[in-house]
């Protein structure tokens, strides 16, 4: 077993509390109630659970978008701080659920990714940024010409490919994908999942994959943590947990799962956007 990359210890996140505008006491709600996770280098780790379980809140803490109320997150053995140093932050990137909301509509794809490259010192000048952007788009199955268009010119699947290219731009070690296909048409979900899995393998990335679909997790992930109401109720290898669930809640999720046909990871290199995914 490889060594831990990310360790989450007794993570707690509460919302509300305090007083509102009229000094009335606000109800305090604990969305995450003492979560422990160990994610090992190179693995694909799933967090599953129903809506409201606290999955996104955990993900946001990992990528630094949410400050924990208490607990600790260690990355490569070092405590992860909310105002973390640049190196720690760039090593952890996120693919968002909503490819529409996560791209700036006013910027071309090339300027958005190019800016990220320059700010992080990955590309020295405009030329280098364009070359690297073309390479990243290619990895995500998009043509280099996509660079000169704005997000509205793309379909949902293509936008998520752009989101993936952007997440990979500064060579992350850990990719956190929060329901990366749930906003997409069912017909294009598999191609995006296959792309993520292939990139994860080829680039040797560690991936935290959040989903409420156990059938997808079965095909994509090595280990899984099942969350319910802010706690991890069960954790283990995907094979073990899905074949012999120990927790009643896991069994309930499994009962609601329909089997998927196996996904083939293309050996031919890039998984290009299928015809249904293209627009204009
Ligand atoms: N900023 C916030 N303020 C108040 N409550 C919040 C906030 N963010 C999340 N919550 C609450 O915390 C709980 C967990 O939310 P979270 O988004 O982590 O769930 P989730 O497991 O990702 O669900 P889904 O599958 O619907 O995405 C929910 O009850 C949610 O309403
Ligand atoms: Mg969520």
């Amino acid at each position: 077993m490889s060594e831990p990359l990310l360790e989450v210890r007794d993570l707690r996140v509460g919302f509300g509390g305090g007083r509102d505008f009229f000094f009335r006491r606000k109800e305090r709600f604990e969305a995450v109630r003492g979560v422990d996770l160990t994610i090992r280098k190179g693995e694909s780790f799933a967090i599953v659970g129903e809506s409201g379980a606290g999955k996104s809140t955990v993900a946001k803490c990992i990528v630094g978008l949410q400050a924990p109320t208490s607990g600790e997150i260690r990355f490569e053995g070092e405590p992860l701080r909310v105002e973390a140093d640049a190196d720690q932050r760039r090593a952890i990137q996120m693919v968002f659920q909503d490819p529409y909301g996560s791209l700036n509509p006013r910027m071309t794809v090339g300027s958005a990714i190019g800016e990220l490259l320059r700010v992080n010192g990955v590309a020295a000048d405009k030329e280098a940024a364009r070359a690297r952007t073309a390479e990243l788009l290619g990895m995500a199955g998009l043509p280099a010409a996509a660079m000169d268009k704005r997000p509205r010119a793309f379909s949902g699947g293509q936008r998520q490919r752009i989101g993936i290219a952007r997440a990979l731009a500064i060579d992350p070690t850990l990719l956190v994908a929060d329901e990366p296909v749930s906003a997409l048409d069912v017909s294009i979900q598999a191609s995006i999942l296959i792309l993520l899995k292939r990139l994860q393998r080829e680039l040797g990335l560690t991936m935290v994959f959040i989903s409420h679909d156990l059938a997808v997790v079965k095909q994509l992930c090595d280990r899984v943590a099942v969350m319910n109401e802010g706690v991890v109720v069960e954790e283990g290898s995907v094979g073990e947990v899905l074949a012999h669930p120990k927790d009643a809640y896991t069994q309930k999720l499994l009962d609601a799962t329909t089997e998927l046909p196996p996904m083939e990871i293309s050996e031919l290199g890039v998984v290009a956007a299928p015809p249904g995914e293209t627009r204009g």
Side-chain angles (χ1 to χ4, degrees):
M1 219 187 267
S2 59
E3 55 185 301
L5 178 70
L6 186 88
E7 294 155 282
V8 175
R9 293 290 167 259
D10 199 22
L11 185 74
R12 290 170 189 273
V13 183
F15 294 111
R19 302 274 174 168
D20 71 7
F21 185 74
F22 300 104
F23 294 97
R24 288 177 303 211
R25 191 179 292 279
K26 283 194 285 184
E27 190 83 40
R28 183 152 178 88
F29 174 72
E30 260 206 312
V32 176
R33 303 183 290 137
V35 162
D36 292 288
L37 297 171
T38 301
I39 292 153
R40 300 182 182 284
K41 282 189 181 152
E43 77 177 349
S44 175
F45 188 96
I47 302 176
V48 300
E50 285 171 316
S51 190
K55 308 180 297 296
S56 293
T57 306
V58 171
K60 284 179 193 156
C61 291
I62 294 172
V63 299
L65 293 174
Q66 170 72 53
T69 306
S70 66
E72 191 180 47
I73 303 179
R74 297 178 83 85
F75 182 73
E76 293 185 317
E78 296 289 321
L80 193 67
R81 294 168 304 279
V82 171
E83 65 292 352
D85 55 88
D87 279 349
Q88 230 186 14
R89 273 291 151 237
R90 54 185 274 183
I92 306 176
Q93 293 293 318
M94 185 150 180
V95 176
F96 293 90
Q97 171 173 10
D98 176 14
Y100 299 88
S102 60
L103 296 167
N104 183 340
R106 284 180 292 278
M107 282 175 111
T108 64
V109 169
S111 38
I113 296 180
E115 186 178 276
L116 195 62
L117 294 171
R118 287 197 297 275
V119 165
N120 285 282
V122 180
D125 55 27
K126 225 170 165 174
E127 286 311 301
R130 281 186 74 83
R132 174 72 177 141
T133 304
E135 187 186 2
L136 288 161
L137 290 170
M139 283 159 63
L142 290 170
M147 219 181 312
D148 300 314
K149 296 181 189 167
R150 284 174 226 283
R152 68 165 175 272
F154 298 96
S155 69
Q158 290 173 321
R159 286 180 214 193
Q160 196 53 297
R161 287 174 186 270
I162 295 165
I164 291 167
R166 182 184 55 184
L168 296 177
I170 46 178
D171 282 326
T173 309
L174 176 67
L175 200 62
V176 179
D178 187 359
E179 310 243 18
V181 299
S182 61
L184 303 178
D185 196 274
V186 177
S187 65
I188 56 173
Q189 290 186 355
S191 66
I192 298 294
L193 293 170
I194 291 170
L195 174 70
L196 272 175
K197 182 69 193 173
R198 191 177 58 75
L199 289 170
Q200 188 241 332
R201 283 195 187 162
E202 284 182 9
L203 303 174
L205 293 169
T206 305
M207 183 158 74
V208 173
F209 181 84
I210 293 169
S211 179
H212 41 248
D213 192 340
L214 283 173
V216 167
V217 163
K218 189 174 171 185
Q219 302 210 18
L220 228 60
C221 301
D222 309 308
R223 286 199 306 133
V224 57
V226 181
M227 273 189 81
N228 184 26
E229 294 181 358
V231 297
V232 173
V233 295
E234 182 160 7
E235 194 201 312
S237 77
V238 166
E240 186 58 28
V241 170
L242 299 199
H244 309 288
K246 290 192 188 71
D247 191 88
Y249 179 75
T250 311
Q251 184 62 56
K252 191 182 132 201
L253 278 186
L254 269 173
D255 292 343
T257 303
T258 38
E259 279 288 318
L260 287 179
M263 286 181 207
E264 296 297 331
I265 296 194
S266 171
E267 301 297 328
L268 302 171
V270 172
V271 181
E277 212 183 298
T278 50
R279 173 187 289 184

